[in-house]
Amino acid sequence: MSRAAPDNSIPQLDAEVTAIGVQTLVSGVAPITPAQRLAIRANAPMEPKKAQRPADHGLFDTNSRNQIEMF
């Protein structure tokens, strides 16, 4: 049995040295800019700063929909 030698023709990726260390550069992949990061945060849904109480009264009371009798 003859086995083919492993293909070592995989292109090596470029790398650059930055302040935080060596980073690999991938062709066709653009870095995320600060403007893109801000746009993502601006388009994200708002989140409450504190825990919210459930809206289980009045129009939003789902338990009242389970009642069998009117009176």
Coordinates of all heavy atoms in Angstrom, one line a residue:
M1 N 0.8 -1.2 0.0 CA 0.0 0.0 0.0 C 0.9 1.2 0.0 O 1.8 1.4 0.8 CB -0.9 0.1 1.2 CG -1.9 -0.9 1.3 SD -2.9 -0.6 2.8 CE -4.5 -0.7 2.2
S2 N 0.5 2.1 -0.8 CA 1.3 3.4 -0.8 C 0.3 4.5 -0.4 O -0.8 4.6 -0.8 CB 1.8 3.7 -2.2 OG 0.7 3.9 -3.1
R3 N 0.9 5.3 0.5 CA 0.1 6.4 1.0 C 0.7 7.7 0.5 O 1.9 7.8 0.4 CB 0.1 6.4 2.5 CG -0.6 5.3 3.1 CD -0.8 5.5 4.6 NE -1.8 4.5 5.1 CZ -2.7 4.8 5.9 NH1 -2.9 5.9 6.4 NH2 -3.5 3.8 6.3
A4 N -0.3 8.6 0.1 CA 0.2 9.9 -0.4 C 0.7 10.7 0.8 O 0.2 10.7 1.9 CB -1.0 10.6 -1.1
A5 N 1.7 11.5 0.5 CA 2.3 12.4 1.5 C 1.3 13.5 1.8 O 0.5 13.9 0.9 CB 3.6 13.0 1.0
P6 N 1.2 14.0 3.0 CA 0.3 15.0 3.4 C 0.5 16.3 2.6 O 1.7 16.6 2.3 CB 0.5 15.3 4.9 CG 1.8 14.6 5.2 CD 2.1 13.6 4.2
D7 N -0.5 16.9 2.2 CA -0.4 18.2 1.4 C -0.1 19.3 2.3 O -0.9 19.8 3.1 CB -1.8 18.4 0.7 CG -1.7 19.5 -0.3 OD1 -0.5 20.0 -0.6 OD2 -2.7 20.0 -0.8
N8 N 1.1 19.9 2.1 CA 1.6 21.0 2.9 C 1.5 22.3 2.2 O 2.2 23.2 2.4 CB 3.0 20.8 3.4 CG 3.1 19.6 4.4 OD1 2.2 19.3 5.1 ND2 4.3 19.0 4.4
S9 N 0.6 22.3 1.2 CA 0.5 23.6 0.4 C -0.5 24.5 0.9 O -1.0 25.4 0.2 CB 0.1 23.2 -1.0 OG -1.2 22.6 -1.1
I10 N -0.9 24.4 2.2 CA -1.9 25.3 2.8 C -1.1 26.7 3.0 O -0.1 26.7 3.6 CB -2.4 24.8 4.2 CG1 -3.1 23.5 4.0 CG2 -3.3 25.8 4.9 CD1 -3.5 22.8 5.3
P11 N -1.7 27.8 2.5 CA -1.0 29.0 2.6 C -1.0 29.5 4.0 O -1.9 29.4 4.8 CB -1.9 30.0 1.7 CG -3.2 29.3 1.7 CD -3.0 27.9 1.8
Q12 N 0.1 30.0 4.4 CA 0.3 30.6 5.7 C -0.3 31.9 5.8 O -0.3 32.7 4.9 CB 1.8 30.7 6.1 CG 2.5 29.3 6.2 CD 2.0 28.5 7.3 OE1 1.7 29.0 8.4 NE2 1.8 27.2 7.0
L13 N -1.0 32.2 7.0 CA -1.6 33.5 7.2 C -0.6 34.5 7.6 O 0.4 34.2 8.3 CB -2.7 33.4 8.2 CG -3.9 32.4 7.8 CD1 -4.8 32.3 9.0 CD2 -4.6 32.9 6.6
D14 N -0.8 35.8 7.2 CA 0.1 36.9 7.7 C -0.2 37.2 9.1 O -1.3 36.9 9.6 CB -0.2 38.1 6.8 CG 0.3 37.9 5.4 OD1 1.2 37.1 5.2 OD2 -0.3 38.6 4.5
A15 N 0.7 37.8 9.8 CA 0.6 38.1 11.2 C 1.2 39.5 11.4 O 2.1 39.9 10.7 CB 1.2 37.1 12.1
E16 N 0.7 40.2 12.4 CA 1.3 41.5 12.8 C 1.5 41.6 14.3 O 0.7 41.0 15.0 CB 0.5 42.7 12.2 CG -0.8 42.9 12.9 CD -1.5 44.1 12.4 OE1 -1.1 44.7 11.4 OE2 -2.6 44.4 12.9
V17 N 2.5 42.3 14.7 CA 2.7 42.5 16.1 C 2.0 43.8 16.6 O 2.3 44.8 16.0 CB 4.2 42.5 16.4 CG1 4.4 42.7 17.9 CG2 4.9 41.2 16.0
T18 N 1.1 43.7 17.5 CA 0.5 44.9 18.1 C 0.8 45.0 19.5 O 1.6 44.3 20.1 CB -1.1 44.7 17.9 OG1 -1.5 43.6 18.7 CG2 -1.5 44.5 16.5
A19 N 0.2 46.1 20.1 CA 0.5 46.3 21.6 C 0.0 45.2 22.5 O 0.6 45.0 23.5 CB -0.1 47.7 22.0
I20 N -1.0 44.5 22.0 CA -1.5 43.4 22.9 C -1.0 42.0 22.5 O -1.4 41.0 23.1 CB -3.1 43.4 22.8 CG1 -3.6 43.2 21.4 CG2 -3.6 44.6 23.4 CD1 -5.1 43.0 21.3
G21 N -0.1 42.0 21.5 CA 0.5 40.7 21.1 C 0.4 40.5 19.6 O 0.0 41.3 18.8
V22 N 0.7 39.3 19.2 CA 0.7 38.9 17.7 C -0.7 38.6 17.3 O -1.4 37.9 18.0 CB 1.6 37.7 17.5 CG1 1.6 37.3 16.0 CG2 3.0 38.0 17.9
Q23 N -1.2 39.2 16.2 CA -2.5 39.0 15.7 C -2.4 38.5 14.3 O -1.6 38.9 13.5 CB -3.3 40.3 15.7 CG -3.6 40.7 17.1 CD -4.6 41.9 17.2 OE1 -5.1 42.3 16.2 NE2 -4.9 42.3 18.4
T24 N -3.2 37.5 14.0 CA -3.2 36.9 12.7 C -4.2 37.7 11.7 O -5.2 38.1 12.1 CB -3.8 35.4 12.7 OG1 -2.9 34.7 13.7 CG2 -3.7 34.7 11.4
L25 N -3.7 37.9 10.5 CA -4.5 38.6 9.5 C -5.0 37.6 8.5 O -4.3 36.9 7.9 CB -3.6 39.7 8.8 CG -2.9 40.7 9.7 CD1 -1.9 41.5 8.8 CD2 -3.9 41.6 10.4
V26 N -6.4 37.6 8.4 CA -7.0 36.7 7.5 C -7.5 37.5 6.3 O -8.2 38.5 6.4 CB -8.2 36.0 8.2 CG1 -8.9 35.1 7.3 CG2 -7.8 35.3 9.5
S27 N -7.2 37.0 5.1 CA -7.6 37.8 3.9 C -9.1 37.7 3.7 O -9.7 36.7 4.0 CB -6.9 37.1 2.7 OG -7.3 35.8 2.5
G28 N -9.7 38.9 3.4 CA -11.1 38.9 3.2 C -11.9 39.3 4.4 O -13.1 39.4 4.4
V29 N -11.2 39.3 5.6 CA -11.9 39.7 6.8 C -11.4 41.0 7.3 O -10.2 41.2 7.5 CB -11.6 38.6 7.9 CG1 -12.2 39.0 9.2 CG2 -12.0 37.2 7.5
A30 N -12.4 42.0 7.4 CA -12.0 43.3 7.8 C -12.2 43.4 9.3 O -13.1 42.8 9.9 CB -12.9 44.3 7.1
P31 N -11.3 44.2 10.0 CA -11.4 44.4 11.4 C -12.7 45.2 11.8 O -13.2 46.0 10.9 CB -10.2 45.1 11.8 CG -9.7 45.8 10.6 CD -10.2 44.9 9.4
I32 N -13.2 45.0 12.9 CA -14.4 45.8 13.4 C -13.9 47.1 13.9 O -13.0 47.2 14.7 CB -15.1 45.0 14.5 CG1 -15.6 43.7 14.0 CG2 -16.3 45.8 15.1 CD1 -16.2 42.8 15.1
T33 N -14.5 48.2 13.3 CA -14.2 49.5 13.7 C -14.9 50.0 14.9 O -16.0 49.4 15.2 CB -14.5 50.5 12.5 OG1 -15.9 50.5 12.3 CG2 -13.7 50.1 11.3
P34 N -14.5 51.0 15.6 CA -15.2 51.5 16.8 C -16.6 52.0 16.4 O -17.6 51.9 17.1 CB -14.3 52.7 17.3 CG -13.0 52.3 16.9 CD -13.1 51.6 15.6
A35 N -16.7 52.6 15.2 CA -18.0 53.0 14.7 C -19.0 51.9 14.6 O -20.2 52.0 14.9 CB -17.9 53.8 13.4
Q36 N -18.5 50.7 14.1 CA -19.4 49.6 14.0 C -19.8 49.0 15.3 O -20.9 48.6 15.5 CB -18.7 48.5 13.2 CG -18.5 48.8 11.7 CD -17.6 47.8 11.0 OE1 -16.7 47.2 11.6 NE2 -17.9 47.6 9.7
R37 N -18.9 49.0 16.3 CA -19.2 48.6 17.6 C -20.3 49.5 18.3 O -21.2 49.0 18.9 CB -18.0 48.6 18.5 CG -17.0 47.5 18.2 CD -15.8 47.6 19.2 NE -14.7 46.8 18.8 CZ -14.6 45.5 18.9 NH1 -15.6 44.8 19.5 NH2 -13.6 44.8 18.5
L38 N -20.2 50.8 18.1 CA -21.2 51.7 18.6 C -22.5 51.5 17.9 O -23.6 51.6 18.5 CB -20.7 53.2 18.4 CG -19.5 53.6 19.3 CD1 -19.0 55.0 19.0 CD2 -20.0 53.6 20.8
A39 N -22.5 51.3 16.6 CA -23.8 51.0 15.9 C -24.5 49.8 16.4 O -25.7 49.8 16.5 CB -23.5 50.9 14.4
I40 N -23.7 48.7 16.7 CA -24.3 47.5 17.2 C -24.9 47.8 18.6 O -26.0 47.3 18.9 CB -23.2 46.4 17.3 CG1 -22.8 46.0 15.9 CG2 -23.7 45.2 18.1 CD1 -21.6 45.1 15.9
R41 N -24.2 48.5 19.4 CA -24.8 48.8 20.8 C -26.0 49.7 20.7 O -26.9 49.6 21.4 CB -23.7 49.5 21.6 CG -22.6 48.5 22.0 CD -21.7 49.0 23.1 NE -22.4 49.1 24.3 CZ -22.0 49.8 25.4 NH1 -20.8 50.3 25.3 NH2 -22.7 49.9 26.5
A42 N -26.0 50.7 19.7 CA -27.1 51.6 19.6 C -28.4 50.9 19.0 O -29.5 51.2 19.4 CB -26.8 52.7 18.6
N43 N -28.2 49.8 18.2 CA -29.3 49.1 17.7 C -29.8 47.9 18.6 O -30.8 47.3 18.3 CB -28.9 48.5 16.3 CG -28.8 49.6 15.3 OD1 -29.4 50.6 15.3 ND2 -27.9 49.4 14.3
A44 N -29.1 47.7 19.7 CA -29.5 46.6 20.6 C -30.7 47.0 21.4 O -30.9 48.2 21.6 CB -28.3 46.3 21.5
P45 N -31.5 46.1 21.7 CA -32.7 46.4 22.6 C -32.3 47.0 23.9 O -31.3 46.6 24.5 CB -33.4 45.1 22.7 CG -32.6 44.0 22.2 CD -31.4 44.7 21.5
M46 N -33.1 47.9 24.4 CA -32.9 48.5 25.7 C -33.1 47.4 26.8 O -33.9 46.6 26.7 CB -33.8 49.7 26.0 CG -33.5 50.8 25.0 SD -34.6 52.2 25.3 CE -34.1 52.7 26.9
E47 N -32.3 47.5 27.9 CA -32.4 46.6 29.0 C -32.6 47.4 30.2 O -32.0 48.5 30.4 CB -31.1 45.7 29.1 CG -30.9 44.8 27.9 CD -29.6 44.0 28.1 OE1 -28.9 44.1 29.1 OE2 -29.4 43.2 27.1
P48 N -33.4 46.9 31.2 CA -33.6 47.7 32.4 C -32.4 47.7 33.3 O -31.6 46.8 33.3 CB -34.8 46.9 33.1 CG -34.7 45.6 32.6 CD -34.2 45.7 31.1
K49 N -32.2 48.8 34.1 CA -31.1 48.9 35.0 C -31.3 48.1 36.3 O -30.4 47.7 36.9 CB -30.8 50.3 35.3 CG -30.3 51.1 34.0 CD -29.9 52.5 34.4 CE -29.5 53.4 33.3 NZ -29.2 52.9 32.0
K50 N -32.6 48.0 36.6 CA -33.0 47.2 37.8 C -34.0 46.1 37.4 O -34.6 46.1 36.4 CB -33.7 48.2 38.8 CG -32.9 49.3 39.4 CD -33.7 50.1 40.3 CE -32.9 51.2 40.9 NZ -33.7 52.1 41.8
A51 N -34.2 45.2 38.4 CA -35.1 44.1 38.1 C -36.5 44.7 38.1 O -36.9 45.6 38.9 CB -35.0 43.1 39.2
Q52 N -37.3 44.2 37.1 CA -38.7 44.7 37.0 C -39.7 43.8 37.6 O -39.6 42.6 37.6 CB -39.0 44.9 35.5 CG -38.0 45.7 34.7 CD -38.1 47.2 35.1 OE1 -39.1 47.8 35.1 NE2 -37.0 47.7 35.5
R53 N -40.8 44.4 38.1 CA -41.9 43.6 38.7 C -42.7 43.1 37.5 O -42.8 43.8 36.4 CB -42.8 44.5 39.5 CG -42.1 44.9 40.8 CD -43.0 45.7 41.7 NE -43.5 46.8 41.0 CZ -44.4 47.7 41.5 NH1 -44.8 47.6 42.7 NH2 -44.8 48.8 40.8
P54 N -43.3 42.0 37.6 CA -44.1 41.4 36.5 C -45.4 42.3 36.3 O -46.0 42.8 37.3 CB -44.5 40.0 37.0 CG -44.4 40.0 38.5 CD -43.3 41.0 38.8
A55 N -45.8 42.4 35.1 CA -47.0 43.2 34.8 C -48.2 42.2 34.8 O -48.7 41.8 33.7 CB -46.8 43.9 33.4
D56 N -48.6 41.8 35.9 CA -49.7 40.8 36.0 C -51.0 41.4 36.6 O -51.6 40.8 37.5 CB -49.2 39.6 36.9 CG -48.8 40.0 38.3 OD1 -48.7 41.2 38.6 OD2 -48.5 39.1 39.1
H57 N -51.3 42.6 36.2 CA -52.6 43.2 36.6 C -53.2 43.9 35.5 O -52.6 44.3 34.5 CB -52.3 44.2 37.8 CG -51.3 45.3 37.4 ND1 -50.0 45.1 37.4 CD2 -51.5 46.5 37.0 CE1 -49.4 46.2 37.0 NE2 -50.3 47.1 36.7
G58 N -54.5 44.1 35.6 CA -55.2 44.9 34.5 C -55.2 44.1 33.2 O -55.5 43.0 33.1
L59 N -54.9 44.9 32.2 CA -54.9 44.3 30.8 C -53.9 43.2 30.6 O -54.1 42.3 29.8 CB -54.5 45.5 29.8 CG -54.4 45.2 28.4 CD1 -55.8 44.7 27.8 CD2 -53.9 46.3 27.6
F60 N -52.8 43.2 31.4 CA -51.8 42.2 31.2 C -51.9 41.0 32.2 O -51.0 40.1 32.2 CB -50.4 42.8 31.4 CG -50.2 44.0 30.4 CD1 -50.2 45.3 30.9 CD2 -50.0 43.8 29.1 CE1 -50.1 46.3 30.1 CE2 -49.8 44.8 28.2 CZ -49.9 46.1 28.7
D61 N -53.0 40.9 32.9 CA -53.2 39.8 33.9 C -53.6 38.5 33.1 O -54.7 38.4 32.7 CB -54.2 40.2 34.9 CG -54.4 39.2 36.0 OD1 -53.5 38.2 36.0 OD2 -55.3 39.3 36.8
T62 N -52.6 37.6 32.9 CA -52.9 36.4 32.2 C -53.7 35.4 33.0 O -54.4 34.5 32.5 CB -51.6 35.7 31.7 OG1 -50.8 35.5 32.8 CG2 -50.9 36.6 30.7
N63 N -53.6 35.5 34.4 CA -54.4 34.6 35.2 C -55.9 34.8 35.2 O -56.7 33.9 35.3 CB -53.9 34.6 36.7 CG -52.6 34.0 36.8 OD1 -52.2 33.1 36.1 ND2 -51.8 34.5 37.7
S64 N -56.3 36.1 34.9 CA -57.7 36.4 34.9 C -58.4 35.8 33.6 O -59.6 35.7 33.6 CB -57.9 37.9 34.9 OG -57.4 38.5 33.8
R65 N -57.6 35.5 32.7 CA -58.2 34.9 31.4 C -58.6 33.4 31.7 O -59.3 32.9 30.9 CB -57.1 34.9 30.3 CG -56.8 36.3 29.9 CD -55.7 36.3 28.9 NE -55.2 37.7 28.7 CZ -54.1 38.0 28.1 NH1 -53.4 37.0 27.5 NH2 -53.7 39.3 27.9
N66 N -58.1 32.8 32.7 CA -58.4 31.4 33.0 C -59.7 31.3 33.8 O -60.0 30.2 34.2 CB -57.2 30.8 33.8 CG -56.0 30.8 33.0 OD1 -56.0 30.8 31.8 ND2 -54.8 30.8 33.6
Q67 N -60.4 32.4 34.1 CA -61.6 32.2 34.9 C -62.7 31.5 34.2 O -62.8 31.7 33.0 CB -62.1 33.6 35.4 CG -62.6 34.5 34.3 CD -63.0 35.8 34.9 OE1 -62.6 36.2 36.0 NE2 -63.7 36.6 34.1
I68 N -63.5 30.7 34.9 CA -64.5 29.9 34.3 C -65.8 30.7 34.3 O -66.6 30.7 33.3 CB -64.7 28.6 35.0 CG1 -63.4 27.8 34.9 CG2 -65.8 27.7 34.4 CD1 -63.3 26.6 35.8
E69 N -66.2 31.3 35.4 CA -67.4 32.0 35.5 C -67.3 33.5 35.5 O -66.2 34.1 35.8 CB -68.1 31.6 36.9 CG -68.4 30.2 37.0 CD -68.9 29.8 38.4 OE1 -69.1 30.7 39.2 OE2 -69.1 28.6 38.6
M70 N -68.3 34.2 35.0 CA -68.2 35.6 34.9 C -68.4 36.3 36.3 O -67.8 37.2 36.6 CB -69.3 36.1 34.0 CG -69.3 37.6 33.7 SD -67.9 38.0 32.7 CE -68.4 39.5 32.0
F71 N -69.4 35.7 37.1 CA -69.6 36.3 38.4 C -69.5 35.2 39.5 O -69.8 34.1 39.4 CB -71.0 36.9 38.5 CG -71.2 38.1 37.5 CD1 -71.9 37.9 36.4 CD2 -70.6 39.3 37.8 CE1 -72.0 39.0 35.5 CE2 -70.7 40.3 36.9 CZ -71.4 40.2 35.8

